[in-house]
Amino acid sequence: MRQIADWNDQQFDYRDSGTGPVILLIHGTQSDYREVYHVERLIEAGYRVIVPSRPGYGKTPLQLAASPTELATFYRGWMASRQITRYTVYGISAGGPTAIALAGNNPAVRSLVLACAMTHQISIPYQTWLIQPALQRPLQLIQWVLWNYVKDKLVKFPEEASVRMVEMTSLLRRDDIRSQLNGTDQELLYQVGLQNGPGRGVLFDLTQHIDRQILQTVTCPVLIVHSKSDRAVPFEHALYARRAIAHAQFLESKSPGHLIWIGPSARRDERMIERFISLNH
């Protein structure tokens, strides 16, 4: 259920569900407070999961923060204002830099999970062109057309559309991806396709950067989970964080692409994350 926060002269939307130890989940690109990855299982496992929409997604204005560090400072103050003094930070994909900045030098953070997460600036083709302010409206229109196309195919051809969705963020061949997906994966990807969509937050994601020195300020327990088959956020991001945070634990996912919550090791990865959070909260 969407909730609207009005704090520090800013309004933004978020979800706050479940009871128990608190997890602040920082979602990835083209998502929002409705993030579906692992959320329901964490709630069932006895956690309270808070998912704010990042700048440019949901009803959260892009102007809420200009950088991951600034956004982390905002979230830190917001959580303190709610008298939440102990929580785990769970950073997904493009939410990684904000999650890292939030965990750095923050005694309230009991542990940090980085799931297929960016740990430094991303590099993609035509990046300089894609972040031009004048092109944001046309790019949003293109995103809208593409997501509606994906949703249509998911309804009509769910199995094949699921394979194509994974293929966009995978280094594997299509047939290899197809052999690794099951009915549960297809159902999750169907939910993702119907929930995700265009947002101005892509501009925030493409321009965000986190200094290595900030990673080195993270002293809480850290778990990094990443797949070598990830095309969207290359495996090197996981290795970079592992080198910068000497005490970090590492789990290599067998996911066929960017999303660790699908594929042959999905439930194992989720259980390991749940166990890690439980031991360190």
Side-chain angles (χ1 to χ4, degrees):
M1 179 183 296
R2 171 190 281 171
Q3 295 173 268
I4 303 295
D6 193 341
W7 184 77
N8 202 25
D9 298 324
Q10 296 281 2
Q11 278 196 344
F12 58 98
D13 54 354
Y14 69 100
R15 175 185 178 182
D16 188 341
S17 302
T19 57
V22 177
I23 298 173
L24 180 62
L25 190 144
I26 313 298
H27 68 77
T29 297
Q30 295 184 325
S31 186
D32 56 27
Y33 73 95
R34 297 170 295 171
E35 180 63 77
V36 298
Y37 298 128
H38 205 174
V39 173
E40 297 303 327
R41 290 191 187 274
L42 287 169
I43 293 170
E44 291 170 4
Y47 293 98
R48 176 184 174 190
V49 184
I50 301 174
V51 189
S53 295
R54 293 192 299 112
Y57 295 109
K59 295 296 182 182
T60 302
L62 184 62
Q63 295 74 23
L64 182 77
S67 69
T69 304
E70 189 175 315
L71 182 58
T73 301
F74 182 87
Y75 285 155
R76 182 171 179 170
W78 177 57
M79 294 292 279
S81 75
R82 305 182 72 198
Q83 287 76 53
I84 301 175
T85 58
R86 293 165 60 93
Y87 53 95
T88 288
V89 177
Y90 190 149
I92 295 176
S93 190
T98 299
I100 292 166
L102 183 55
N105 288 328
N106 187 353
V109 176
R110 313 310 296 177
S111 61
L112 170 65
V113 176
L114 296 174
C116 54
M118 288 174 56
T119 61
H120 56 80
Q121 192 166 23
I122 200 83
S123 178
I124 63 172
Y126 312 110
Q127 186 165 340
T128 304
W129 182 77
L130 291 171
I131 63 176
Q132 297 301 315
L135 295 176
Q136 294 313 301
R137 285 189 180 277
L139 288 173
Q140 276 189 272
L141 177 60
I142 293 171
Q143 289 181 63
W144 183 85
V145 171
L146 286 174
W147 271 111
N148 276 275
Y149 175 80
V150 168
K151 291 175 183 178
D152 178 66
K153 297 304 179 186
L154 280 168
V155 172
K156 294 178 179 176
F157 313 103
E159 183 175 347
E160 188 60 27
S162 296
V163 173
R164 299 297 180 92
M165 279 183 68
V166 175
E167 185 180 25
M168 289 188 292
T169 62
S170 174
L171 295 172
L172 300 182
R173 297 179 303 174
R174 190 177 302 169
D175 287 343
D176 293 332
I177 295 169
R178 185 178 287 107
S179 68
Q180 295 187 46
L181 299 186
N182 57 34
T184 302
D185 296 328
Q186 291 173 23
E187 183 178 345
L188 180 61
L189 289 167
Y190 179 77
Q191 293 177 38
V192 171
L194 295 184
Q195 178 257 303
N196 284 20
R200 296 182 66 201
V202 172
L203 181 61
F204 181 94
D205 298 344
L206 290 177
T207 56
Q208 64 179 337
H209 175 69
I210 192 81
D211 291 331
R212 184 182 180 89
Q213 289 83 350
I214 295 178
L215 278 88
Q216 294 170 337
T217 66
V218 178
T219 57
C220 66
V222 178
L223 176 63
I224 302 168
V225 189
H226 217 110
S227 169
K228 287 184 177 179
S229 301
D230 192 337
R231 180 196 297 271
V233 179
F235 191 68
E236 187 274 330
H237 281 254
L239 299 179
Y240 178 87
R242 193 181 186 184
R243 290 192 297 268
I245 308 173
H247 63 279
Q249 299 178 51
F250 184 79
L251 175 63
E252 182 183 334
S253 172
K254 299 303 180 183
S255 165
H258 180 49
L259 309 176
I260 66 166
W261 307 273
I262 63 169
S265 69
R267 193 61 191 122
R268 180 211 67 175
D269 296 346
E270 290 179 337
R271 288 196 183 100
M272 292 296 288
I273 291 170
E274 291 161 18
R275 176 177 169 80
F276 169 80
I277 294 172
S278 176
L279 288 173
N280 291 294
H281 203 91

